[in-house]
Amino acid sequence: MSGVNRAAEDTNRRMLRARDAMDRAYAEPLDVPALARIAHVSEAHFSRTFRATFGETPHRYLQRRRVERAMFLLRETGRSVTDICFEVGFGSPGTFSRTFRDIVGMSPREYRKQAVAQQVPTCFAMAWTRPGS
């Protein structure tokens, strides 16, 4: 294996380590400095490389993971939107609602109404409602 391939493989492994941490601890206050430490690279290198590897910034990836979890909680529980907002890691209901609308195309309350009205099996609902990037 050449040195270039080994270096690329090492970089990918570092980015996957950070992405896995975001998937596991999405509700934690993760920021670029913390994620860069997990990946063992500088903050600037981490942000640039993460985007090149996964096609979106670390911040956007984390927001999308939080919204995906919120979508599940909105569909499957009767908990308030505010409770869900804080549980998935957003700092304010306003930021949560704006981000949710930006990613899903409707407010959390509209999403809940639509999801309840559909009454389809969860596997279909997840496939149909998975947010894009």
Side-chain angles (χ1 to χ4, degrees), residues 21-22 24-31 34-35 62 66 86-90:
M22 285 190 265
R24 272 191 317 278
Y26 60 86
E28 301 299 316
L30 296 170
D31 58 9
L35 294 166
L62 186 56
R66 288 172 173 167
F86 292 119
E87 180 177 324
V88 300
F90 282 91

Side-chain angles (χ1 to χ4, degrees), residues 42-107:
S42 73
E43 294 172 28
H45 181 72
F46 175 74
S47 292
R48 202 172 37 253
T49 306
F50 189 95
R51 184 177 191 142
T53 304
F54 299 114
E56 60 189 338
T57 66
H59 179 71
R60 185 59 168 186
Y61 180 82
L62 186 56
Q63 284 183 320
R64 200 168 45 76
R65 294 297 293 140
R66 288 172 173 167
V67 166
E68 287 173 354
R69 180 65 182 156
M71 290 169 73
F72 171 80
L73 293 170
L74 288 164
R75 276 193 318 270
E76 303 297 325
T77 74
R79 297 184 48 213
S80 76
V81 172
T82 301
D83 285 349
I84 291 170
C85 153
F86 292 119
E87 180 177 324
V88 300
F90 282 91
S92 78
T95 300
F96 171 64
S97 290
R98 275 191 308 279
T99 303
F100 193 97
R101 180 182 293 282
D102 185 44
I103 291 173
V104 180
M106 64 184 78
S107 75

